[in-house]
Amino acid sequence: MKILFVAVAILASQFSADAFGLPSRAVARTSSLKSTAKKDWTRPDLQGSSLVADTLQEMESDVEFQELTKKIAKLGVDGMTKEERATRRRALDELGVPNFMRFVAENDADSNTAEVKNKQLHRSEPTILQLNIGLYCNQACNHCHVESSPLRKDETMSAEIAARCLELLQKTPSVDTLDLTGGAPELNGQFRFLVKLAREWAIENKRKLTIIDRCNLTVLLEPDQSDLVDFLKENQVNVVASLPCYGEDNVDAQRGRGVFERSIAALLKLNEAGYGTPEHPELELDLVYNPSGPFLPPSQASLELDYKRELEERYGIHFNNLLTITNMPIKRFADFLAKEGKMKEYMELLVNNYNAQTVGGLMCLNTVSVGWDGKLYDCDFNQQLGMGIVGESETNESAKKQKLSVFDIESLMDLGKYSVRTDNHCFGCTAGSGSSCQGSTA
């Protein structure tokens, strides 16, 4: 069967979904306690119960969140973004640090590489198509750089845009990964449509395609999602799941009351289906760690060993890889830094830990990020700051330079002539071992 994308948008509606410090070592458990822990934490009573009401209640009682909401209402999203940028720039000015690309050129012995020319970043062939299909989420994590929550119901990808994204995937042979994120992408009406048709097309055309679901775990227990794990397994979707710690207090403090026990129950459910187990290497389950405060992640490799030991001993959980991601000084985390008076301190930390070896692995070089409204970006962080890819439409010759959307290009390869847009938040991706949606980069 050959997919006709003209009809794809009509079919899309049929797939609507209904819907921080470092961990400390724990005392080792005996083998007899492992099975007991696993049995206790499966929590079948949580399946079908929603976290939304609890999240909304916490948001209403959170003074800082309410203050931030009022500030956004007063300044607008664009106004808040400009204020964040100015705060970061002031911090760097006080530190005597130039703009990001000038800093890279001055601190890299080989600053004239394939990626860096004339103090600009130049992309390679795109291999990852990342779609943020909506900002609605059943959680409201305090580190969330996209500021997702149950209140973000309107910012959701349409069937027409989802269909166009699949068409661009088809027309760009170099792309081997479809990365679906949000919000909670699984609660978006286009999620199952995108997964199902992308997998069918890849099989039909004998094209190797990795499909990633960036999952908050608790969504697996939401009402009408009881078949979600089976759907992911059937379509060989890799799960990249957020778990900032293996301790309950740290996770709940960062992600909301009750999130930890739901996350553990969800991980056990994924393990039961074969995810993250040696018996099913095709079902990858990766976990994501991000710091709980203004400090850099530890070594990804060493922390992965800690996670694997503790999660297996405490709960009988298995997974494939741990990805460490640096907190970017934008959105909710930027607001936290500003309130604590730590923006300058954090920017200094990022600058002082600049690692030139991370530049070649920056995700903006091989990733194209698409917003829920179809606008094109160099990365998910630029997307949240409204820093779209600016260029000339390939489909409308009369159009002047503009922020491009999926309808302005014929293939993702068309973006190769545009340099990557950078700004002072980019120091977050080049500090320490580097940071990207795929984990450390050096």
Side-chain angles (χ1 to χ4, degrees), residues 123-127 164 167-169 171-175 367-368 376 378 389-396 401-402 404-420:
R123 68 184 79 248
S124 56
E125 284 192 347
T127 60
R164 181 60 177 165
E167 189 174 7
L168 291 173
L169 172 66
K171 292 181 176 181
T172 313
S174 59
V175 172
T367 299
V368 175
L376 296 169
D378 300 305
I389 298 176
V390 176
E392 297 176 350
S393 174
E394 300 290 333
T395 60
N396 183 1
K401 279 193 173 184
Q402 59 186 10
L404 300 176
S405 81
V406 292
F407 299 105
D408 292 316
I409 57 174
E410 295 291 350
S411 163
L412 299 179
M413 294 295 293
D414 294 340
L415 302 175
K417 57 188 174 184
Y418 304 116
S419 60
V420 175

Short mmCIF file of all heavy atoms in Angstrom, two decimals, residues 123-127 164 167-169 171-175 367-368 376 378 389-396 401-402 404-420:
data_model
loop_
_atom_site.label_atom_id
_atom_site.label_comp_id
_atom_site.label_asym_id
_atom_site.label_seq_id
_atom_site.Cartn_x
_atom_site.Cartn_y
_atom_site.Cartn_z
N ARG A 123 24.52 23.47 9.62
CA ARG A 123 23.93 22.15 9.83
C ARG A 123 24.46 21.12 8.84
O ARG A 123 24.91 21.47 7.74
CB ARG A 123 22.40 22.24 9.75
CG ARG A 123 21.86 22.56 8.40
CD ARG A 123 20.35 22.74 8.41
NE ARG A 123 19.99 24.06 8.91
CZ ARG A 123 19.37 24.28 10.07
NH1 ARG A 123 19.05 23.26 10.85
NH2 ARG A 123 19.06 25.50 10.45
N SER A 124 24.40 19.88 9.24
CA SER A 124 24.72 18.76 8.37
C SER A 124 23.41 18.21 7.82
O SER A 124 22.36 18.83 7.98
CB SER A 124 25.49 17.69 9.15
OG SER A 124 24.73 17.27 10.28
N GLU A 125 23.45 17.05 7.17
CA GLU A 125 22.21 16.45 6.69
C GLU A 125 21.31 16.12 7.88
O GLU A 125 21.79 15.60 8.89
CB GLU A 125 22.50 15.17 5.90
CG GLU A 125 23.03 15.40 4.52
CD GLU A 125 23.01 14.12 3.69
OE1 GLU A 125 22.83 13.03 4.29
OE2 GLU A 125 23.17 14.20 2.46
N PRO A 126 20.02 16.40 7.78
CA PRO A 126 19.13 16.08 8.89
C PRO A 126 18.92 14.58 9.04
O PRO A 126 18.68 13.88 8.06
CB PRO A 126 17.82 16.78 8.49
CG PRO A 126 17.87 16.83 6.99
CD PRO A 126 19.32 17.02 6.64
N THR A 127 19.06 14.10 10.26
CA THR A 127 18.80 12.69 10.54
C THR A 127 17.66 12.50 11.53
O THR A 127 17.13 11.40 11.67
CB THR A 127 20.07 12.00 11.10
OG1 THR A 127 20.47 12.66 12.32
CG2 THR A 127 21.21 12.06 10.10
N ARG A 164 1.54 16.72 6.77
CA ARG A 164 2.64 17.36 6.06
C ARG A 164 3.99 16.93 6.62
O ARG A 164 4.96 16.74 5.88
CB ARG A 164 2.50 18.88 6.14
CG ARG A 164 3.60 19.65 5.42
CD ARG A 164 3.66 19.33 3.94
NE ARG A 164 4.65 20.13 3.25
CZ ARG A 164 5.11 19.87 2.04
NH1 ARG A 164 4.64 18.81 1.37
NH2 ARG A 164 6.02 20.64 1.48
N GLU A 167 4.84 13.68 5.18
CA GLU A 167 5.25 13.84 3.79
C GLU A 167 6.71 14.28 3.70
O GLU A 167 7.48 13.80 2.87
CB GLU A 167 4.35 14.86 3.10
CG GLU A 167 4.56 14.93 1.60
CD GLU A 167 3.55 15.82 0.90
OE1 GLU A 167 2.76 16.49 1.60
OE2 GLU A 167 3.55 15.86 -0.34
N LEU A 168 7.12 15.21 4.58
CA LEU A 168 8.51 15.65 4.61
C LEU A 168 9.44 14.52 5.03
O LEU A 168 10.57 14.42 4.54
CB LEU A 168 8.67 16.86 5.54
CG LEU A 168 8.02 18.16 5.06
CD1 LEU A 168 8.11 19.23 6.16
CD2 LEU A 168 8.68 18.66 3.78
N LEU A 169 8.98 13.68 5.94
CA LEU A 169 9.76 12.50 6.34
C LEU A 169 10.01 11.62 5.12
O LEU A 169 11.13 11.15 4.89
CB LEU A 169 9.00 11.73 7.42
CG LEU A 169 9.56 10.36 7.82
CD1 LEU A 169 10.91 10.51 8.50
CD2 LEU A 169 8.58 9.64 8.75
N LYS A 171 10.08 12.50 2.03
CA LYS A 171 10.88 13.17 1.02
C LYS A 171 12.31 13.47 1.47
O LYS A 171 13.06 14.11 0.71
CB LYS A 171 10.19 14.48 0.61
CG LYS A 171 8.89 14.28 -0.15
CD LYS A 171 8.29 15.62 -0.55
CE LYS A 171 7.03 15.45 -1.38
NZ LYS A 171 6.45 16.77 -1.79
N THR A 172 12.67 13.07 2.69
CA THR A 172 14.02 13.34 3.20
C THR A 172 14.69 12.02 3.58
O THR A 172 14.60 11.56 4.72
CB THR A 172 13.97 14.28 4.42
OG1 THR A 172 13.10 15.38 4.15
CG2 THR A 172 15.36 14.80 4.74
N PRO A 173 15.37 11.36 2.63
CA PRO A 173 15.95 10.03 2.86
C PRO A 173 16.95 9.97 4.00
O PRO A 173 17.16 8.89 4.58
CB PRO A 173 16.61 9.70 1.52
CG PRO A 173 15.91 10.56 0.52
CD PRO A 173 15.57 11.82 1.25
N SER A 174 17.59 11.09 4.33
CA SER A 174 18.63 11.06 5.37
C SER A 174 18.04 10.91 6.77
O SER A 174 18.74 10.52 7.72
CB SER A 174 19.47 12.34 5.32
OG SER A 174 18.66 13.50 5.51
N VAL A 175 16.76 11.22 6.96
CA VAL A 175 16.14 11.13 8.28
C VAL A 175 15.88 9.67 8.64
O VAL A 175 15.20 8.95 7.92
CB VAL A 175 14.82 11.93 8.33
CG1 VAL A 175 14.09 11.67 9.65
CG2 VAL A 175 15.10 13.42 8.19
N THR A 367 19.26 17.96 13.56
CA THR A 367 17.86 17.85 13.96
C THR A 367 17.04 19.00 13.38
O THR A 367 17.51 20.13 13.35
CB THR A 367 17.72 17.87 15.50
OG1 THR A 367 18.44 16.76 16.04
CG2 THR A 367 16.27 17.78 15.93
N VAL A 368 15.84 18.69 12.94
CA VAL A 368 14.88 19.72 12.59
C VAL A 368 13.72 19.59 13.56
O VAL A 368 13.13 18.51 13.71
CB VAL A 368 14.37 19.58 11.14
CG1 VAL A 368 13.27 20.62 10.87
CG2 VAL A 368 15.52 19.75 10.15
N LEU A 376 9.15 25.86 11.84
CA LEU A 376 10.40 25.11 11.84
C LEU A 376 11.46 25.79 12.72
O LEU A 376 11.59 27.01 12.72
CB LEU A 376 10.94 25.00 10.41
CG LEU A 376 10.06 24.21 9.42
CD1 LEU A 376 10.57 24.41 8.00
CD2 LEU A 376 10.04 22.73 9.79
N ASP A 378 15.60 25.13 14.79
CA ASP A 378 16.85 24.38 14.84
C ASP A 378 16.87 23.37 15.97
O ASP A 378 17.57 22.36 15.89
CB ASP A 378 18.04 25.34 15.01
CG ASP A 378 18.14 26.34 13.87
OD1 ASP A 378 18.21 25.89 12.70
OD2 ASP A 378 18.15 27.55 14.13
N ILE A 389 13.43 29.21 12.15
CA ILE A 389 14.33 29.26 11.01
C ILE A 389 13.78 30.28 10.01
O ILE A 389 12.63 30.18 9.58
CB ILE A 389 14.46 27.88 10.34
CG1 ILE A 389 15.05 26.86 11.34
CG2 ILE A 389 15.35 27.97 9.10
CD1 ILE A 389 15.13 25.45 10.81
N VAL A 390 14.59 31.25 9.67
CA VAL A 390 14.16 32.32 8.76
C VAL A 390 14.76 32.08 7.38
O VAL A 390 15.96 31.83 7.24
CB VAL A 390 14.60 33.70 9.30
CG1 VAL A 390 14.23 34.79 8.29
CG2 VAL A 390 13.96 33.98 10.64
N GLY A 391 13.92 32.14 6.36
CA GLY A 391 14.40 31.93 5.01
C GLY A 391 13.33 32.25 3.98
O GLY A 391 12.30 32.85 4.31
N GLU A 392 13.58 31.82 2.75
CA GLU A 392 12.65 32.05 1.65
C GLU A 392 11.86 30.78 1.38
O GLU A 392 12.42 29.69 1.33
CB GLU A 392 13.41 32.50 0.41
CG GLU A 392 14.14 33.82 0.59
CD GLU A 392 14.96 34.20 -0.62
OE1 GLU A 392 15.11 33.35 -1.52
OE2 GLU A 392 15.46 35.33 -0.66
N SER A 393 10.58 30.94 1.18
CA SER A 393 9.71 29.80 0.92
C SER A 393 10.09 29.12 -0.39
O SER A 393 10.33 29.78 -1.41
CB SER A 393 8.25 30.26 0.86
OG SER A 393 7.41 29.18 0.48
N GLU A 394 10.15 27.78 -0.36
CA GLU A 394 10.41 27.00 -1.56
C GLU A 394 9.13 26.73 -2.34
O GLU A 394 9.17 26.28 -3.48
CB GLU A 394 11.07 25.66 -1.18
CG GLU A 394 12.38 25.79 -0.45
CD GLU A 394 13.50 26.31 -1.32
OE1 GLU A 394 13.44 26.10 -2.55
OE2 GLU A 394 14.44 26.95 -0.78
N THR A 395 8.00 27.02 -1.72
CA THR A 395 6.71 26.72 -2.35
C THR A 395 5.97 27.98 -2.78
O THR A 395 4.94 27.91 -3.44
CB THR A 395 5.82 25.92 -1.39
OG1 THR A 395 5.60 26.68 -0.19
CG2 THR A 395 6.47 24.60 -1.04
N ASN A 396 6.50 29.15 -2.38
CA ASN A 396 5.88 30.42 -2.74
C ASN A 396 6.97 31.40 -3.15
O ASN A 396 7.59 32.05 -2.31
CB ASN A 396 5.06 30.97 -1.58
CG ASN A 396 4.33 32.26 -1.93
OD1 ASN A 396 4.41 32.76 -3.06
ND2 ASN A 396 3.61 32.80 -0.97
N LYS A 401 11.62 36.85 2.87
CA LYS A 401 12.16 36.09 3.98
C LYS A 401 11.20 36.12 5.16
O LYS A 401 10.64 37.17 5.49
CB LYS A 401 13.53 36.63 4.40
CG LYS A 401 14.66 36.15 3.52
CD LYS A 401 16.01 36.45 4.14
CE LYS A 401 17.13 35.83 3.34
NZ LYS A 401 18.46 36.03 3.98
N GLN A 402 11.03 34.97 5.78
CA GLN A 402 10.05 34.83 6.84
C GLN A 402 10.42 33.64 7.72
O GLN A 402 11.32 32.87 7.38
CB GLN A 402 8.67 34.59 6.23
CG GLN A 402 8.63 33.33 5.37
CD GLN A 402 7.32 33.15 4.63
OE1 GLN A 402 6.49 34.03 4.59
NE2 GLN A 402 7.14 32.00 4.01
N LEU A 404 9.97 30.13 8.61
CA LEU A 404 9.48 29.05 7.75
C LEU A 404 8.61 28.05 8.50
O LEU A 404 8.79 27.81 9.69
CB LEU A 404 10.67 28.33 7.11
CG LEU A 404 11.59 29.18 6.22
CD1 LEU A 404 12.76 28.35 5.74
CD2 LEU A 404 10.81 29.76 5.05
N SER A 405 7.69 27.45 7.75
CA SER A 405 6.85 26.38 8.28
C SER A 405 7.00 25.15 7.39
O SER A 405 7.68 25.20 6.35
CB SER A 405 5.38 26.81 8.31
OG SER A 405 4.78 26.68 7.03
N VAL A 406 6.38 24.06 7.79
CA VAL A 406 6.47 22.81 7.03
C VAL A 406 5.88 22.96 5.63
O VAL A 406 6.16 22.15 4.74
CB VAL A 406 5.77 21.66 7.77
CG1 VAL A 406 6.52 21.30 9.05
CG2 VAL A 406 4.32 22.01 8.09
N PHE A 407 5.08 23.99 5.41
CA PHE A 407 4.47 24.20 4.10
C PHE A 407 5.32 25.07 3.18
O PHE A 407 4.96 25.30 2.02
CB PHE A 407 3.08 24.82 4.28
CG PHE A 407 2.13 23.95 5.05
CD1 PHE A 407 1.82 24.26 6.37
CD2 PHE A 407 1.57 22.82 4.49
CE1 PHE A 407 0.96 23.45 7.10
CE2 PHE A 407 0.71 22.01 5.20
CZ PHE A 407 0.40 22.32 6.52
N ASP A 408 6.46 25.54 3.68
CA ASP A 408 7.35 26.40 2.89
C ASP A 408 8.52 25.65 2.28
O ASP A 408 9.33 26.25 1.56
CB ASP A 408 7.90 27.54 3.76
CG ASP A 408 6.82 28.53 4.16
OD1 ASP A 408 6.00 28.90 3.30
OD2 ASP A 408 6.78 28.91 5.35
N ILE A 409 8.64 24.37 2.55
CA ILE A 409 9.76 23.59 2.03
C ILE A 409 9.24 22.32 1.37
O ILE A 409 8.14 21.84 1.67
CB ILE A 409 10.76 23.21 3.14
CG1 ILE A 409 10.07 22.43 4.27
CG2 ILE A 409 11.45 24.46 3.69
CD1 ILE A 409 11.04 21.91 5.33
N GLU A 410 10.05 21.78 0.44
CA GLU A 410 9.70 20.53 -0.23
C GLU A 410 10.34 19.33 0.45
O GLU A 410 9.86 18.22 0.36
CB GLU A 410 10.15 20.59 -1.70
CG GLU A 410 9.45 21.65 -2.53
CD GLU A 410 7.98 21.35 -2.78
OE1 GLU A 410 7.55 20.22 -2.47
OE2 GLU A 410 7.26 22.23 -3.26
N SER A 411 11.46 19.59 1.11
CA SER A 411 12.21 18.55 1.82
C SER A 411 12.97 19.22 2.95
O SER A 411 13.28 20.42 2.88
CB SER A 411 13.18 17.84 0.87
OG SER A 411 14.17 17.13 1.58
N LEU A 412 13.30 18.47 3.98
CA LEU A 412 14.09 19.02 5.08
C LEU A 412 15.49 19.41 4.61
O LEU A 412 16.17 20.22 5.24
CB LEU A 412 14.18 18.02 6.22
CG LEU A 412 12.84 17.61 6.88
CD1 LEU A 412 13.08 16.58 7.97
CD2 LEU A 412 12.11 18.83 7.44
N MET A 413 15.92 18.83 3.49
CA MET A 413 17.22 19.18 2.92
C MET A 413 17.25 20.64 2.47
O MET A 413 18.33 21.23 2.35
CB MET A 413 17.53 18.26 1.73
CG MET A 413 17.72 16.80 2.11
SD MET A 413 19.16 16.52 3.16
CE MET A 413 20.48 16.91 2.02
N ASP A 414 16.10 21.23 2.21
CA ASP A 414 16.05 22.63 1.79
C ASP A 414 16.60 23.58 2.84
O ASP A 414 16.95 24.72 2.53
CB ASP A 414 14.60 23.03 1.47
CG ASP A 414 14.04 22.30 0.26
OD1 ASP A 414 14.84 21.79 -0.56
OD2 ASP A 414 12.80 22.22 0.13
N LEU A 415 16.66 23.11 4.09
CA LEU A 415 17.11 23.98 5.19
C LEU A 415 18.63 24.03 5.31
O LEU A 415 19.16 24.82 6.10
CB LEU A 415 16.52 23.48 6.52
CG LEU A 415 14.99 23.41 6.57
CD1 LEU A 415 14.53 22.79 7.89
CD2 LEU A 415 14.38 24.80 6.40
N GLY A 416 19.33 23.22 4.53
CA GLY A 416 20.79 23.14 4.64
C GLY A 416 21.51 24.44 4.34
O GLY A 416 22.64 24.65 4.79
N LYS A 417 20.89 25.33 3.61
CA LYS A 417 21.56 26.58 3.25
C LYS A 417 21.47 27.65 4.33
O LYS A 417 22.07 28.72 4.20
CB LYS A 417 20.96 27.12 1.95
CG LYS A 417 19.46 27.35 1.99
CD LYS A 417 18.93 27.69 0.59
CE LYS A 417 17.43 27.77 0.56
NZ LYS A 417 16.91 28.00 -0.80
N TYR A 418 20.72 27.37 5.39
CA TYR A 418 20.55 28.35 6.46
C TYR A 418 21.41 27.97 7.67
O TYR A 418 21.42 26.82 8.10
CB TYR A 418 19.09 28.45 6.89
CG TYR A 418 18.15 28.79 5.75
CD1 TYR A 418 17.17 27.90 5.35
CD2 TYR A 418 18.26 30.00 5.08
CE1 TYR A 418 16.31 28.19 4.30
CE2 TYR A 418 17.41 30.31 4.02
CZ TYR A 418 16.44 29.40 3.64
OH TYR A 418 15.60 29.70 2.60
N SER A 419 22.12 28.96 8.22
CA SER A 419 22.92 28.70 9.42
C SER A 419 22.00 28.58 10.63
O SER A 419 20.85 29.02 10.61
CB SER A 419 23.93 29.83 9.65
OG SER A 419 23.27 31.07 9.82
N VAL A 420 22.51 27.94 11.67
CA VAL A 420 21.75 27.73 12.90
C VAL A 420 21.66 29.04 13.68
O VAL A 420 22.66 29.75 13.82
CB VAL A 420 22.41 26.64 13.77
CG1 VAL A 420 21.70 26.50 15.11
CG2 VAL A 420 22.42 25.31 13.03
#
